[in-house]
Amino acid sequence: MIKFKSVFSDSRATSLISGLIALLALWALVLSAQQFMAGNAYYSVKNSIEKWQRTPDQLSVEGVDNALSQINKAVSAFPNNAFYYQMRGQVFEWYAQTQYVSGQLPTNKQLDYLNEALVNYEKSIQLRPNWSGSWVGLASIKWKKNELDEVFYQYLNMAIESGTQDAILHKFIVEFGLTMFNARSVHYVNVRDLLKKHLALGLANPLSRDFVLAVIARQRSQKVVCRWLNQAQYSIRKHIPGCVVFN
């Protein structure tokens, strides 16, 4: 009788362990599937944003709708992922861009989109305070709201402190700086040295190079950029059309 109980207890323990292993395996499978789905959604949105950055004329409300749907899936699966909130902030910025009219102040609808982006950037910073991408996002919102004040420069400085070598920072400073230069704005003076530094860094970094070149072309600034970078290495200057001349 005692042996029977022992065998029965061992069998029950084995069944419990087997059940636990099966549950763990199922949980790992579900988590893996979620990670795969969220990763695909994230990179799909990332690719769309990079396309709009290079060729803004391809931006459409339908495209942004799809991007928001994709990134919402990633956020739902992993609500504590700072990258996903930062990416969703960018999507809302592109929503605002679909409503942009040159020479006009932001409409109420644009401001609503920008405020949604702001909320997502702030959430991203809560989760990962030392990530330059989210600080760049906050600075971008201030710029688009025409609020180039002390807080704007605080956000920009935080982005620099968090990741001075990051491609997203190069992109932002180049676009902002060249826009201010061509507008003959006082704000160009505030970022003049930063602009020249991040032009070189942005051209050297393959993750930002195409965007930087596209901004230089849109701003028709090839000659002035070439002059600013006259002391830069050949490997940097060669990317600017007509900047390197062989006699």
Side-chain angles (χ1 to χ4, degrees), residues 21-213:
I21 291 173
L23 285 174
L24 289 173
L26 180 60
W27 177 81
L29 182 63
V30 171
L31 181 61
S32 177
Q34 286 182 319
Q35 289 174 331
F36 179 78
M37 178 275 295
N40 279 350
Y42 173 83
Y43 283 105
S44 171
V45 177
K46 183 175 182 290
N47 290 337
S48 294
I49 288 174
E50 289 177 350
K51 178 184 71 175
W52 299 330
Q53 288 176 336
R54 292 191 304 269
T55 53
D57 59 309
Q58 294 191 31
L59 176 67
S60 68
V61 174
E62 293 77 14
V64 184
D65 283 341
N66 180 65
L68 181 61
S69 175
Q70 291 295 316
I71 200 61
N72 279 343
K73 294 176 184 177
V75 172
S76 295
F78 297 97
N80 292 317
N81 188 304
F83 289 97
Y84 297 161
Y85 287 102
Q86 195 271 347
M87 185 66 70
R88 189 159 68 177
Q90 290 189 65
V91 171
F92 278 112
E93 281 199 75
W94 284 105
Y95 263 126
Q97 187 65 24
T98 64
Q99 307 296 313
Y100 174 76
V101 178
S102 179
Q104 293 188 13
L105 293 174
T107 64
N108 288 335
K109 192 169 185 179
Q110 283 177 285
L111 290 174
D112 287 342
Y113 287 138
L114 292 175
N115 287 333
E116 287 286 350
L118 179 70
V119 169
N120 280 275
Y121 290 139
E122 288 177 339
K123 178 64 175 178
S124 178
I125 286 172
Q126 288 175 9
L127 294 168
R128 188 173 177 177
N130 295 321
W131 188 29
S132 64
S134 299
W135 292 109
V136 165
L138 291 177
S140 178
I141 297 300
K142 295 288 285 184
W143 181 18
K144 289 174 180 176
K145 286 184 173 183
N146 295 311
E147 297 174 353
L148 297 178
D149 52 16
E150 183 179 347
V151 175
F152 166 83
Y153 287 102
Q154 288 175 357
Y155 290 154
L156 183 57
N157 287 334
M158 287 300 300
I160 293 168
E161 290 179 14
S162 300
T164 191
Q165 298 293 330
D166 289 353
I168 194 169
L169 181 63
H170 306 327
K171 293 177 180 180
F172 180 76
I173 291 177
V174 167
E175 184 170 28
F176 177 75
L178 285 179
T179 301
M180 294 301 104
F181 171 77
N182 285 322
R184 292 175 171 77
S185 168
V186 65
H187 293 283
Y188 164 68
V189 177
N190 296 335
V191 298
R192 177 175 52 202
D193 293 338
L194 280 175
L195 172 58
K196 295 174 183 179
K197 174 182 177 180
H198 287 275
L199 274 165
L201 291 173
L203 290 169
N205 188 333
L207 297 178
S208 53
R209 183 181 301 136
D210 288 346
F211 178 85
V212 169
L213 288 171

